Amino acid sequence: MTLSKRDFFKLGAAAGGAALLAGVSTTGARASNVLQPITGDVQPIGTSERKARVAKAQKLMAEHGIDAILLEPGSAMLYFTGISWWRSERLTAVVIPREGEIAVVTPYFEEPSVRESMTFGSDVRTWNEHEDPFERVAGILKDRGLTGGKIGLEDTVRYFVVEGLKRAAPGFEITSALDVTLGCRMYKSAHEIELMRKANEVTLTAYGHVWHKLEVGMTPADITALMRTAQAELGGQGIWGMALLAEASAYPHGSGQQQTLKEGDIVLMDCGCKVHGYQSDISRTFVFGEPTKRQREVWNTVRQGQEIAFETAQIGTPAGQVDDAVRKMYEGLGYGPGYKTPGLSHRTGHGIGMDGHESVNFVHGETTRLAPGMCFSNEPGLYIFGEFGVRLEDCIYMTDDGPAWFTVPPESLEKPIGRMG
């Protein structure tokens, strides 16, 4: 990217943009007054969809010999029930029995608020501060005709919950619920993919807006503030992001060293948001000014790595082979070997959906075969400690015919944004 090109785009930006930039600070900034929300054409997940998810979970529970699953607050609880809550030392949980209606356990004083968040179901068991909440869980199991068997838990459930269940329901074995929860959540519906597409549109549009506003002397906080504001104005929620400059871009999650943008610097950004609970995750690497031959070479290699990952990610392929294919190409160019640097020091991609990182991953040794509905990031970065790093990240979803892009990666350093798939 040349300065003249940058200046050209600045001239085409909305009037007043430069004046707004003058007020940018690490405490936040408005990217402009021209961005408008673009999320009004999508609808959140409805009650009928959540009930269908519970029905599928109950079918999987029967297949795997699990009599009930217990969910703590988080994405799984939201996925199945629509209840949006938080974790604390006081138990709030959802019990999904293999047969029958779901039930909720929560502190007495939280019941009105929890009920506001519920989209279906009416069985709420409350407990007071001097009482054992796990006795309420045991009561639900008994009322559903369960006196023994297996209770499934996700791997995020906390240890005190395990101990409480063992104490209050000793006739039950504690087991993993991942065959059930991943068996539902790993395969996205058309509606879920629509929401993820919209979240990606928000983030990609924001990148196109912010790229033209980079200025000498900006800090990473200044840049992320612009990106955060742009995504918010476009209708994104749960916004997150980071910007890494120059040498800091060689370290995938950054550096604590003070950084300010100067001519010739790499700018590596990793940002995303949610739309109705579903995530985007896009990384872009720019050069502020004229790229060096080495910067361009590494950027183009990473772009080639994305294509190799995309082409390898076919239905029925073990997920680990996607990572292996990229590393084979990189090692042929002298990077690595394996996860060593200079090279690709992290997995080629991760699952994504309601959580930014979900199972399964594009990582060596992963044997899960790709299937329709799975969604992944595609981010085979290259990192050269002491110099710079390049990461391009676009998410894909698996169709019956193979992979499809949520966002199509950029063409070149001169056109570094990309487009919607």
Side-chain angles (χ1 to χ4, degrees):
M1 171 195 336
T2 65
L3 287 175
S4 60
K5 183 177 181 68
R6 182 181 300 281
D7 291 338
F8 169 79
F9 279 117
K10 288 177 183 174
L11 289 172
L20 284 163
L21 277 174
V24 171
S25 72
T26 57
T27 58
R30 287 189 60 82
S32 76
N33 291 321
V34 299
L35 294 178
Q36 298 295 326
I38 60 173
T39 58
D41 58 340
V42 291
Q43 298 298 317
I45 301 297
T47 300
S48 62
E49 292 170 276
R50 298 195 194 281
K51 287 182 175 180
R53 292 170 176 180
V54 169
K56 181 178 180 180
Q58 290 175 321
K59 180 180 178 181
L60 289 172
M61 290 160 64
E63 292 176 2
H64 292 281
I66 298 174
D67 297 281
I69 61 174
L70 181 144
L71 305 173
E72 282 206 85
S75 58
M77 182 183 288
L78 182 61
Y79 175 89
F80 286 107
T81 71
I83 298 173
S84 180
W85 206 248
W86 61 89
R87 296 188 184 191
S88 74
E89 76 281 5
R90 297 182 175 100
L91 181 72
T92 290
V94 168
V95 177
I96 302 179
R98 187 165 66 187
E99 296 180 359
E101 297 297 318
I102 68 169
V104 180
V105 174
T106 195
Y108 169 79
F109 59 84
E110 302 285 24
E111 181 183 5
S113 300
V114 168
R115 285 190 180 277
E116 283 182 2
S117 189
M118 293 173 66
T119 58
F120 65 96
S122 59
D123 189 353
V124 179
R125 313 280 177 105
T126 64
W127 56 278
N128 288 301
E129 296 280 59
H130 66 291
E131 296 175 317
D132 183 353
F134 296 100
E135 293 293 339
R136 300 297 187 271
V137 175
I140 293 168
L141 298 173
K142 181 179 179 181
D143 290 346
R144 299 300 187 270
L146 299 172
T147 57
K150 294 182 179 180
I151 300 176
L153 304 178
E154 284 197 302
D155 52 10
T156 68
V157 173
R158 294 170 292 176
Y159 184 71
F160 88 91
V161 177
V162 176
E163 288 298 292
L165 289 173
K166 288 179 177 178
R167 180 181 64 251
F172 289 86
E173 175 188 345
I174 305 300
T175 190
S176 171
L178 292 181
D179 285 335
V180 176
T181 56
L182 291 183
C184 294
R185 295 184 60 189
M186 192 184 299
Y187 310 101
K188 274 64 177 180
S189 67
H191 191 175
E192 290 177 289
I193 288 173
E194 178 188 22
L195 295 176
M196 292 176 69
R197 185 191 304 277
K198 182 58 66 174
N200 278 274
E201 183 182 356
V202 167
T203 302
L204 192 70
T205 303
Y207 268 125
H209 189 73
V210 169
W211 173 52
H212 306 312
K213 294 181 173 294
L214 300 179
E215 293 282 349
V216 170
M218 280 186 169
T219 67
D222 293 330
I223 297 169
T224 55
L226 284 172
M227 189 67 181
R228 181 174 60 249
T229 300
Q231 289 189 91
E233 290 180 343
L234 290 161
Q237 298 178 325
I239 295 164
W240 58 271
M242 68 177 180
L244 309 176
L245 307 181
E247 181 186 343
S249 63
Y251 314 114
H253 290 151
S255 166
Q257 298 298 314
Q258 185 175 0
Q259 306 163 57
T260 56
L261 185 59
K262 60 184 183 300
E263 188 72 20
D265 276 351
I266 287 277
V267 180
L268 193 163
M269 299 180 66
D270 190 348
C271 304
C273 71
K274 291 183 179 181
V275 170
H276 295 310
Y278 285 82
Q279 292 266 8
S280 63
D281 189 357
I282 303 175
S283 295
R284 290 292 180 260
T285 300
F286 314 130
V287 175
F288 185 72
E290 185 66 30
T292 66
K293 179 181 179 181
R294 182 165 173 79
Q295 288 170 335
R296 188 182 298 279
E297 179 183 83
V298 175
W299 193 100
N300 288 338
T301 300
V302 171
R303 182 64 190 87
Q304 184 182 356
Q306 280 192 299
E307 284 301 320
I308 288 175
F310 184 83
E311 293 166 4
T312 306
Q314 299 298 321
I315 297 298
T317 299
Q321 288 188 13
V322 177
D323 187 79
D324 293 341
V326 174
R327 274 175 220 286
K328 181 178 179 181
M329 187 271 281
Y330 282 178
E331 288 172 12
L333 297 174
Y335 293 104
Y339 290 80
K340 294 183 178 180
T341 56
L344 173 54
S345 54
H346 56 70
R347 60 200 172 197
T348 293
H350 54 78
I352 187 170
M354 294 183 72
D355 292 324
H357 289 188
E358 296 184 355
S359 295
V360 296
N361 300 307
F362 290 150
V363 65
H364 177 71
E366 176 57 66
T367 59
T368 302
R369 295 185 180 274
L370 303 183
M374 290 181 169
C375 299
F376 302 91
S377 70
N378 179 345
E379 49 177 317
L382 283 173
Y383 307 96
I384 306 166
F385 290 177
E387 293 188 48
F388 65 88
V390 171
R391 182 163 66 251
L392 302 173
E393 177 183 14
D394 295 270
C395 290
I396 66 173
Y397 59 98
M398 302 303 298
T399 74
D400 290 339
D401 299 321
W405 296 105
F406 282 108
T407 54
V408 178
E411 298 177 18
S412 66
L413 271 171
E414 283 69 39
K415 297 179 179 179
I417 301 303
R419 60 181 174 84
M420 291 301 298

